[in-house]
Amino acid sequence: MRWIYLALAIWGAIHPMYYFVSWFQENGWNLGAMIDAWYVNDATTGLTWDLTIAAVSLTIWIIAEVAVRRNWSALIAIPATYCIGVSCGLPLYLFLRSRPVG
């Protein structure tokens, strides 16, 4: 399972990033414009909130488990979640969480 999580983290980094880079190339490298696009209609607004709530929940879970397990390297999943996306951060955390902590 561990390597499946890693494969999903890599896929979750590359696949969405393709669309983000394509959007930036077409619309200019303006993060504010991209954020505006996330709220263009109710469907995208709902999806944006869905992913935001998932990201916050994942962050709380990571922090709570790191505090108990002392698996400090797993904290890297938090910036991965917010800089890349939940599609990378969650499987990356599961990959890091599934290794023996020593």
Side-chain angles (χ1 to χ4, degrees):
M1 280 302 292
R2 187 160 197 266
W3 298 109
I4 293 172
Y5 293 144
L6 181 59
L8 289 169
I10 293 168
W11 182 25
I14 294 171
H15 197 149
M17 201 57 61
Y18 167 81
Y19 292 100
F20 293 145
V21 170
S22 296
W23 188 92
F24 280 127
Q25 288 175 337
E26 185 177 320
N27 297 284
W29 293 85
N30 182 343
L31 185 58
M34 177 177 255
I35 292 171
D36 289 341
W38 294 345
Y39 297 97
V40 72
N41 61 44
D42 287 345
T44 59
T45 300
L47 183 58
T48 298
W49 279 109
D50 180 64
L51 292 172
T52 300
I53 294 166
V56 170
S57 301
L58 176 59
T59 300
I60 293 168
W61 180 38
I62 291 170
I63 292 169
E65 282 213 336
V66 164
V68 172
R69 295 172 53 111
R70 306 288 188 229
N71 183 8
W72 304 110
S73 64
L75 289 172
I76 195 69
I78 294 172
T81 298
Y82 290 98
C83 295
I84 301 170
V86 176
S87 63
C88 176
L90 176 58
L92 177 62
Y93 179 67
L94 293 172
F95 170 75
L96 295 169
R97 183 183 184 276
S98 63
R99 74 175 174 85
V101 178

